[in-house]
Amino acid sequence: MNKGEFVEALADRLDVHRAQADRALSAVLDIIAEQLAKGEKVAFTGFGSFEVSQRAARTGRNPQTGATIEIAASSVPKFTAGATLKAAVNK
């Protein structure tokens, strides 16, 4: 399911126009991204949580040349599924 299909399903479930559902979904995703950018954790009980994880700097290798390269430290988003979501997937 892509974003367009998701918006359509959301509009049907909420009985609203597609544009309203698209704005609602965009708002939710924007809020999650803003909170993660601040370093905050976003948790939905039963569904899961989004948080920022830190990756340390490391040495890598260019697969074409075999040359050693330095990979900078970075922050990456991480999602951990909650118990209710895990149970729904494992039915």
Side-chain angles (χ1 to χ4, degrees):
M1 174 178 272
N2 61 30
K3 184 180 177 185
E5 293 166 340
F6 189 90
V7 167
E8 193 65 40
L10 184 61
D12 288 343
R13 184 151 312 176
L14 296 176
D15 195 27
V16 297
H17 294 287
R18 190 179 187 289
Q20 292 172 307
D22 187 41
R23 282 195 307 273
L25 177 60
S26 293
V28 169
L29 296 177
D30 288 345
I31 291 168
I32 291 171
E34 289 169 4
Q35 293 304 306
L36 291 177
K38 290 185 208 175
E40 298 290 326
K41 180 177 180 176
V42 179
F44 299 103
T45 304
F47 181 76
S49 61
F50 299 89
E51 59 188 313
V52 176
S53 181
Q54 302 298 321
R55 282 194 182 158
R58 60 195 187 280
T59 303
R61 189 168 300 278
N62 182 330
Q64 291 182 329
T65 64
T68 301
I69 57 172
E70 292 299 318
I71 302 171
S74 62
S75 299
V76 293
K78 175 181 158 186
F79 176 77
T80 304
T84 305
L85 179 59
K86 287 179 184 178
V89 171
N90 288 315
K91 281 187 178 181

